Amino acid sequence: MKWQIKENQTIQEKVFVADLSPGPALYVLPREGFNKKYAIFSTRFGSIDNCFMVKQNGEKKKVSVPDGVAHFLEHKLFDNEDGNIFDRFAEYGASPNAFTTFTHTTYLFSCTDFFEENLGLLLEFVQSPYFTEESVAKEQGIIQQEIMMYQDNPDWRVFFNLLGALYHEHPVRKDIAGDVESISRITRDVLYTCYNTFYHPANMAIFVTGDLSPDQVLKQVTDDLERRSINGSQDIERCYPGENASVNQRKVTQELSVSQPMLYMGFKDTYSYLEGRELLVRDLVSELLLEMIFSKSEPLYTRLYEEGLIDERFSAGFVAECSYGYTIMGGKTKDPDLLHQRILEGIHQIKKEGLKEESFARHRRKMQGEFLKSFNSLEFIANNFLANRFRGVDLFEIVDALERISFQDIESRLHEHLNEELHAVSIINPLD
Amino acid sequence: MKGMDGLDSLQSKKLTGNIQAHLFPTKKFKTVLITVFIQQALEKDSAAKTALLPAVLERGTSNYPTFMDLKRELEMLYGASLGSDVVKKGERQVVSFSLEVVHDRFTPGEQLFKEGLSILKSVLTDPLLDNGSFKQEYVEQEKDQLRKEIEGLINDKVSYALERCVQEMCKQERYGIYKYGDAETLKVVSPRELYSYYQELFRRSPVDVFVVGDFEPEEAFRLLEQSLVFSRSSTSSSLPFIEQNHFRKEPLQHVEKLPVNQAKLTLGYRVNTVYQDEDYPAMMFYNGILGGFPHSKLFQNVREKASLAYYAFSRLDKLKGIQLIGSGIEVDNYQKALDIIQEQVDSLKQGKITNDELENTRRGLINQLKVIADSPFALVNYFLDALVGQRRGNVEDLIGEIERVQAKDVVEAAQKVSLDTIYFLRPVNGEGGQNNS
């Protein structure tokens, strides 16, 4: 097995990549001098993957599963026949965890000692499902409390309400954990169906970083794979419902126990599927555009701040996944309707007066610096490498892609994307 | 100062103007981090003023009169980040200013550290003035923002419940003051008053600056000396140390009703052990075995066995000597959850500690300490805690002490822990909790 070594001169890092198919892809990024070692094992199975094709007796069948199943499965994978995997990691001083996003599920640990033992545990538990009706019932109580916690969280509510307003059908509109009703329909069999479909090693990847020898990691992972008989992979067919380009609802409002209102605004992108460089460029161009309009160094932010309509946590960003993309902005405000109006006016004015090249160069420089800075964090490196891999992007590619963006790219994106027809707002008002 | 606190691994020097500079040279990071800490006593009358000050200083300086000017300058330095924060450390309120720049080796031809420092210098020493005082407009706008921040505590119910428990528990102590102060005191602060407060605070408060990253120490000392130039008295004002010894015969029970879905049960304990104490490592074990990890008693029993909560943890405040237990539950499960939590506390007092619990906690604690060295911000926070808590020795010494702790030490520490406050945040409807309102 030979490594493919990718090096980036700007960041001054190199990553070792091995294709172990039909096993998972393996990445090792050595960082000398760090005490921490961080490893993640991810599968491209997220909350939006709630409808897919399954082969049964040679025939393909469409399966729909309850909302929140990817997250539920993530919780349940920590159980094995002898109990809970947390105890095993604890023996080696590691800190294990997992998270589920819209598009993938990641299992992880960080440790300073016993790296080999901990990596062995990670490989073992993610590849050993053990679901019983009893343990599923027990988990429903825990996840119910997790859902209740988020129902009281205004940041979470204003965000999901916005997605519900932007999308008619796409499952991104649903809460990652599902709801109390949908999780009550999750059974042991549903979990196994999902596991067998999405946890095939070919759908997965491992990323390891810290003061480590790539060759030793490779040997451990290949030895582990040899012990397991992996059948040739089958392509996963996900069924996403057709999404109308328009927004579902212009405005959605909820009342919560908060000190002041919140406003989130979203602009829906219209592509139905993108990946790789094309998706990355769209992501970066959009981010740069938003920086040039809404960042703290620009006049619009200052006006809104001085009017008391926003606070310093006001932010704007773009989300670019293969099957959906949108701009999101907002925060707390004393007057959501006025802020909404001011933002639309601000965008209109910029469209009329044009963007400034000086601002473009400055924001690109800032993005380059911020990208570099984030390489202080092993968690950032690993999590973002795999999240990008799942959308066909190499994290190192970002440096070059950013360099090649032109001012004209930003200008045309402004007129195409920040289209009033394709925007929605989500408002949280305080309870009386 | 060598050996007197946890700052042994640093190169320290007293700069002109009675400012302590501490350098931590390392090649590990992509950045250089500079953090300036200004410590002062946490007081009801000044807490809001202290919190307001960094926000006003960041609004504009005489070279960069607007926020926009300042931000643009930072963006040109490859997105240098300049931020301020206000934290509560024991009975002290600490203001910090942090500047993080990309290291020059990634940006040939640039001098980001040097240029970043000159911006930091402007913000700290050369504020925008109007008639010999802070600009009225900036002060009023920042007062409005800070008031919203203070009132906004309620928005995140998880942290709200923890903070409210501390406020009820420490009502009679400085520690019960919120880190940003209160809205009433804030209301009456004038630009002139704030400006003289700024001069006074910077003149008499202990100031420490930490630099983490790859640099030439002599050069760094020299640049700091040039940058941190403000009027200083030769002796710093003395600061309060940790107040302990507050006992209640019966735990205080406080119930608060809000229109929420999930109830939060929060318990506040006096652990009567602080950072500098000899038995502090044993208290770390007590907290770790009880609720610091997923293998801990609270997670295992409240969450995994009884399915009552998604989160159930305990957290030690080493600079105050208190411990909080937090959990989010169904309102009707109040008594059930309280019983299980108290059972776990009692079992530790009775010495029911398995060898696995002890050893797993030991490894977990050592792991947490070792990774501090992997983050510039974690390092700087560690140094600040050592400074405020007057903890002797460095990280390695503390690890050494953790290696020697035995079960009997943990049981001994457990006897010092007493329940002070039961704070219950509950939905308006449903059973559970005694209503004392």
Side-chain angles (χ1 to χ4, degrees):
Chain A
M1 183 57 56
K2 261 265 177 258
W3 286 115
Q4 187 200 349
I5 300 172
K6 294 181 181 182
E7 194 164 359
N8 187 292
Q9 301 293 345
T10 309
I11 310 165
Q12 300 174 20
E13 293 294 346
K14 58 181 163 193
V15 62
F16 293 68
V17 190
D19 176 6
L20 307 178
S21 53
L26 173 67
Y27 294 75
V28 184
L29 190 144
R31 279 301 281 270
E32 233 175 88
F34 273 70
N35 296 334
K36 185 192 286 179
K37 294 158 183 77
Y38 181 71
I40 67 177
F41 197 172
S42 298
T43 178
R44 195 180 167 187
F45 176 43
S47 66
I48 62 170
D49 301 307
N50 60 3
C51 183
F52 48 90
M53 305 300 284
V54 171
K55 227 184 218 162
Q56 252 175 8
N57 312 323
E59 267 183 56
K60 272 205 224 167
K61 206 179 93 191
K62 191 171 177 175
V63 177
S64 288
V65 290
D67 294 332
V69 73
H71 171 258
F72 202 104
L73 204 166
E74 173 231 295
H75 274 236
K76 277 340 286 169
L77 216 46
F78 282 91
D79 284 354
N80 61 15
E81 242 178 302
D82 318 314
N84 197 303
I85 199 78
F86 281 118
D87 295 337
R88 304 282 312 279
F89 278 106
E91 284 173 42
Y92 301 117
S95 172
N97 211 335
F99 58 89
T100 306
T101 70
F102 292 104
T103 53
H104 62 274
T105 310
T106 294
Y107 301 84
L108 61 95
F109 71 85
S110 73
C111 70
T112 49
D113 302 306
F114 305 105
F115 175 75
E116 215 178 301
E117 287 82 351
N118 287 314
L119 181 60
L121 277 177
L122 180 68
L123 297 173
E124 174 62 28
F125 95 86
V126 174
Q127 298 183 82
S128 320
Y130 178 73
F131 312 131
T132 64
E133 289 302 350
E134 192 197 351
S135 74
V136 167
K138 193 206 73 178
E139 206 66 28
Q140 272 154 352
I142 296 170
I143 295 180
Q144 227 177 68
Q145 286 310 313
E146 187 177 1
I147 292 170
M148 302 272 268
M149 179 179 83
Y150 282 117
Q151 277 176 357
D152 288 331
N153 184 320
D155 295 327
W156 196 256
R157 287 318 323 152
V158 71
F159 172 58
F160 276 97
N161 290 349
L162 178 68
L163 292 181
L166 287 174
Y167 292 91
H168 299 265
E169 299 287 342
H170 196 289
V172 70
R173 67 195 305 279
K174 302 282 185 55
D175 202 321
I176 291 171
D179 55 53
V180 174
E181 186 280 321
S182 74
I183 62 162
S184 73
R185 286 186 284 119
I186 293 173
T187 61
R188 172 184 168 275
D189 292 344
V190 169
L191 294 180
Y192 274 115
T193 304
C194 292
Y195 187 88
N196 293 333
T197 307
F198 291 102
Y199 281 69
H200 189 285
N203 191 37
M204 304 181 75
I206 298 167
F207 197 106
V208 175
T209 177
D211 200 339
L212 292 161
S213 144
D215 288 338
Q216 270 175 29
V217 176
L218 179 63
K219 184 171 184 316
Q220 190 185 349
V221 174
T222 39
D223 287 353
D224 180 274
L225 285 173
E226 267 168 30
R227 290 195 294 111
R228 305 170 198 277
S229 48
I230 297 168
N231 305 320
S233 71
Q234 54 183 51
D235 285 341
I236 297 167
E237 267 185 71
R238 298 167 166 86
C239 325
Y240 297 127
E243 173 70 25
N244 191 311
S246 67
V247 299
N248 178 31
Q249 239 179 310
R250 286 254 165 235
K251 180 175 174 178
V252 55
T253 306
Q254 187 184 353
E255 290 189 346
L256 278 176
S257 152
V258 289
S259 63
Q260 62 166 332
M262 296 181 79
L263 170 80
Y264 271 28
M265 244 172 108
F267 287 85
K268 189 175 177 178
D269 206 327
T270 50
Y271 63 85
S272 57
Y273 192 90
L274 279 181
E275 60 178 24
R277 185 76 172 210
E278 203 183 339
L279 181 62
L280 174 64
V281 169
R282 185 174 290 232
D283 191 357
L284 294 174
V285 167
S286 311
E287 285 288 351
L288 256 170
L289 169 67
L290 295 169
E291 282 284 322
M292 288 165 66
I293 302 175
F294 297 104
S295 89
K296 291 181 174 153
S297 59
E298 299 303 327
L300 180 59
Y301 178 94
T302 304
R303 285 205 305 273
L304 299 173
Y305 187 89
E306 294 193 337
E307 219 180 321
L309 283 172
I310 58 171
D311 63 25
E312 61 166 9
R313 292 200 193 89
F314 176 88
S315 65
F318 188 71
V319 173
E321 293 295 346
C322 297
S323 66
Y324 62 91
Y326 58 86
T327 277
I328 182 165
M329 65 184 78
K332 295 191 197 74
T333 180
K334 64 179 180 193
D335 189 340
D337 292 324
L338 185 59
L339 177 59
H340 178 200
Q341 184 194 327
R342 288 275 188 277
I343 290 174
L344 290 180
E345 285 165 8
I347 293 170
H348 185 71
Q349 189 188 351
I350 285 163
K351 280 182 179 169
K352 217 170 63 189
E353 294 170 5
L355 293 158
K356 297 200 169 54
E357 292 211 44
E358 176 276 331
S359 155
F360 167 66
R362 181 160 42 77
H363 286 290
R364 177 156 69 184
R365 211 168 210 243
K366 175 188 163 195
M367 272 172 77
Q368 286 165 333
E370 281 180 346
F371 187 62
L372 257 163
K373 276 199 238 167
S374 50
F375 275 75
N376 270 352
S377 157
L378 301 184
E379 289 84 351
F380 170 90
I381 298 169
N383 297 348
N384 283 284
F385 241 106
L386 292 196
N388 274 289
R389 179 185 192 273
F390 292 139
R391 46 177 209 164
V393 172
D394 176 349
L395 189 69
F396 283 167
E397 213 183 320
I398 290 180
V399 178
D400 175 65
L402 196 53
E403 198 59 54
R404 286 170 195 272
I405 290 171
S406 72
F407 180 63
Q408 286 69 33
D409 295 336
I410 311 283
E411 278 188 315
S412 49
R413 182 71 175 143
L414 164 66
H415 294 279
E416 168 219 4
H417 177 54
L418 295 181
N419 174 355
E420 261 187 56
E421 290 300 308
L422 295 179
H423 97 281
V425 294
S426 163
I427 292 171
I428 300 287
N429 279 318
L431 284 156
D432 294 326
Chain B
M1 267 178 80
K2 213 166 162 60
M4 283 307 288
D5 47 40
L7 312 177
D8 289 8
S9 40
L10 298 169
Q11 297 185 30
S12 298
K13 185 179 175 181
K14 197 173 195 169
L15 305 179
T16 325
N18 192 22
I19 289 168
Q20 290 289 344
H22 314 273
L23 309 182
F24 188 86
T26 164
K27 293 187 193 304
K28 250 160 76 170
F29 303 117
K30 304 282 182 198
T31 58
V32 180
L33 173 69
I34 304 136
T35 303
V36 179
F37 289 114
I38 302 165
Q39 294 185 63
Q40 85 130 348
L42 185 60
E43 303 278 5
K44 192 176 181 328
D45 295 340
S46 61
K49 260 192 289 192
T50 312
L52 179 62
L53 188 58
V56 171
L57 291 177
E58 278 191 276
R59 279 305 295 276
T61 72
S62 60
N63 335 358
Y64 312 107
T66 70
F67 191 64
M68 219 163 67
D69 299 324
L70 198 59
K71 275 282 164 196
R72 288 186 177 188
E73 199 62 28
L74 291 163
E75 282 171 351
M76 286 312 285
L77 301 182
Y78 286 87
S81 49
L82 174 65
S84 63
D85 199 6
V86 178
V87 291
K88 185 159 79 174
K89 294 278 182 188
E91 326 297 321
R92 303 179 190 176
Q93 192 184 20
V94 183
V95 179
S96 69
F97 294 88
S98 287
L99 173 82
E100 195 184 26
V101 293
V102 170
H103 192 273
D104 292 344
R105 72 174 179 273
F106 299 101
T107 52
E110 304 280 342
Q111 290 188 298
L112 301 178
F113 178 52
K114 200 175 159 188
E115 291 178 44
L117 257 181
S118 87
I119 300 178
L120 182 64
K121 178 184 178 177
S122 296
V123 169
L124 292 177
T125 69
D126 193 14
L128 181 69
L129 296 183
D130 188 12
N131 271 324
S133 170
F134 286 132
K135 200 172 165 180
Q136 171 111 25
E137 207 185 313
Y138 287 177
V139 173
E140 290 311 319
Q141 283 165 4
E142 292 310 319
K143 274 168 71 176
D144 190 44
Q145 294 283 357
L146 183 59
R147 176 185 55 79
K148 288 185 209 159
E149 187 69 40
I150 294 168
E151 292 167 355
L153 173 67
I154 199 167
N155 297 337
D156 177 356
K157 301 296 181 291
V158 175
S159 42
Y160 177 75
L162 295 170
E163 179 65 27
R164 286 287 299 121
C165 181
V166 169
Q167 286 177 357
E168 290 302 324
M169 180 172 171
C170 304
K171 223 173 198 162
Q172 312 301 327
E173 302 154 71
R174 293 170 195 269
Y175 196 76
I177 300 167
Y178 187 39
K179 63 177 177 177
Y180 297 136
D182 62 272
E184 261 111 82
T185 330
L186 176 68
K187 210 169 162 180
V188 294
V189 179
S190 71
R192 194 158 297 280
E193 185 192 350
L194 188 67
Y195 184 63
S196 57
Y197 182 69
Y198 156 71
Q199 289 176 310
E200 179 60 13
L201 186 74
F202 275 60
R203 200 176 63 79
R204 61 167 170 82
S205 297
V207 177
D208 289 85
V209 52
F210 295 90
V211 189
V212 176
D214 186 12
F215 45 77
E216 188 54 55
E218 282 316 310
E219 170 77 356
F221 279 132
R222 199 177 56 77
L223 287 171
L224 290 174
E225 187 105 50
Q226 286 171 6
S227 307
L228 302 170
V229 189
F230 33 84
S231 164
R232 294 279 294 162
S233 64
S234 54
T235 52
S236 307
S237 52
S238 62
L239 293 169
F241 196 59
I242 303 164
E243 288 171 24
Q244 291 190 86
N245 307 318
H246 287 263
F247 294 107
R248 274 185 223 279
K249 289 198 187 100
E250 282 296 315
L252 170 71
Q253 299 209 17
H254 190 90
V255 180
E256 189 173 335
K257 284 185 180 182
L258 282 176
V260 290
N261 291 294
Q262 186 180 61
K264 314 277 187 218
L265 176 58
T266 311
L267 282 78
Y269 294 83
R270 304 276 174 180
V271 301
N272 299 299
T273 300
V274 293
Y275 202 18
Q276 64 168 192
D277 293 339
E278 231 169 88
D279 61 350
Y280 171 69
M283 196 55 82
M284 290 172 83
F285 273 78
Y286 171 79
N287 181 64
I289 295 168
L290 181 62
F293 300 96
H295 69 258
S296 305
K297 288 180 188 289
L298 288 176
F299 190 90
Q300 289 300 322
N301 290 287
V302 180
R303 173 173 152 143
E304 293 298 306
K305 291 212 178 84
S307 294
L308 291 182
Y310 170 64
Y311 71 91
F313 64 85
S314 66
R315 175 197 292 172
L316 203 55
D317 184 336
K318 57 180 178 283
L319 298 179
K320 178 59 185 170
I322 64 176
Q323 183 196 41
L324 295 176
I325 291 178
S327 64
I329 58 169
E330 192 67 43
V331 63
D332 296 343
N333 287 331
Y334 170 81
Q335 200 55 48
K336 221 193 259 178
L338 185 62
D339 289 346
I340 296 176
I341 290 170
Q342 288 186 319
E343 257 168 51
Q344 308 316 309
V345 173
D346 291 341
S347 78
L348 262 161
K349 287 187 192 263
Q350 290 156 14
K352 288 180 191 156
I353 301 170
T354 66
N355 192 52
D356 277 354
E357 283 175 321
L358 185 75
E359 294 311 318
N360 294 351
T361 300
R362 190 188 315 276
R363 293 193 193 103
L365 291 172
I366 291 172
N367 183 53
Q368 287 175 352
L369 287 168
K370 281 187 175 171
V371 300
I372 290 172
D374 293 335
S375 153
F377 285 92
L379 273 166
V380 162
N381 189 53
Y382 178 83
F383 300 143
L384 176 64
D385 284 350
L387 199 70
V388 176
Q390 297 173 18
R391 167 91 202 168
R392 289 153 204 269
N394 53 31
V395 183
E396 286 70 32
D397 299 324
L398 185 52
I399 291 174
E401 290 175 51
I402 285 168
E403 275 164 354
R404 289 190 293 276
V405 170
Q406 298 172 22
K408 66 172 176 47
D409 305 320
V410 184
V411 180
E412 232 169 82
Q415 309 312 315
K416 294 171 77 177
V417 177
S418 70
L419 178 61
D420 185 292
T421 299
I422 302 173
Y423 168 83
F424 191 50
L425 171 65
R426 47 158 300 169
V428 181
N429 302 314
E431 302 299 311
Q434 291 167 30
N435 198 345
N436 67 348
S437 57

